[in-house]
């Protein structure tokens, strides 16, 4: 018995588009951090933390390129793209938590967006393959 595609498949299209936007912003912020190498000094209760922004920029740049790749692949409905997207979004979520002291507002927005993406891909991701048949 074939399962029908519901309107919830729109959440997966939203997730694919949001991954593209997140990947683009990661590429931009990563490139800015890489090409303007600076360090950020953060005051913590335990002392001073010095963060090399250019090194962390390479992480955001590479993650952004991978997110762009998987975002486009999600539109095809490939099962591997959904699994790869879930892994990359979790990595992006962790990267945004680490970036929280440096860019708090953008990191919070990206964290909330990543949770919506994860929800859409895990709950309704299989409908994309059925929609593309």
């Amino acid at each position: 018995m074939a399962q029908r595609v519901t309107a919830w498949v729109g959440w997966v299209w939203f997730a694919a588009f949001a991954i593209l936007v997140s990947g683009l912003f990661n590429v931009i912020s990563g490139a800015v951090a890489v090409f303007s190498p600076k360090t950020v000094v953060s005051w913590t209760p335990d002392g001073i933390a010095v963060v090399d922004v250019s090194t962390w920029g390479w992480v955001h740049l590479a993650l952004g390129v991978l997110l762009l790749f998987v975002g486009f692949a999600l539109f095809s409905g490939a099962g591997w793209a959904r699994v790869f997207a879930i892994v990359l979004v979790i990595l992006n979520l962790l990267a945004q938590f680490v970036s929280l002291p440096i860019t708090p507002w953008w990191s919070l927005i990206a964290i909330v967006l990543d949770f919506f993406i994860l929800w859409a891909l895990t709950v309704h991701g299989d409908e994309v393959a059925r929609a593309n048949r």
Side-chain angles (χ1 to χ4, degrees):
M1 181 170 109
Q3 294 177 334
R4 65 184 184 96
V5 177
T6 66
W8 286 103
V9 74
W11 273 101
V12 182
W13 302 132
F14 164 77
F17 182 73
I19 287 173
L20 289 174
V21 171
S22 182
L24 182 64
F25 279 119
N26 274 354
V27 167
I28 292 169
S29 65
V32 167
V34 166
F35 296 116
S36 63
K38 294 181 181 176
T39 55
V40 174
V41 178
S42 177
W43 301 95
T44 65
D46 298 326
I48 298 174
V50 179
V51 179
D52 182 12
V53 179
S54 65
T55 303
W56 196 241
W58 284 110
V59 172
H60 279 280
L61 190 62
L63 190 58
V65 169
L66 291 173
L67 283 169
L68 285 171
F69 171 73
V70 79
F72 284 117
L74 268 176
F75 283 112
S76 71
W80 66 266
R82 182 170 62 125
V83 172
F84 195 46
I86 290 170
V87 170
L88 286 177
V89 169
I90 290 171
L91 289 175
N92 189 49
L93 189 66
L94 293 173
Q96 295 303 328
F97 270 116
V98 172
S99 298
L100 205 53
I102 299 169
T103 55
W105 289 108
W106 169 248
S107 293
L108 284 175
I109 291 168
I111 287 168
V112 170
L113 186 61
D114 284 345
F115 277 117
F116 277 114
I117 292 169
L118 285 174
W119 175 79
L121 292 177
T122 55
V123 175
H124 302 291
D126 60 336
E127 292 190 32
V128 176
R130 290 194 307 264
N132 284 339
R133 288 185 196 159

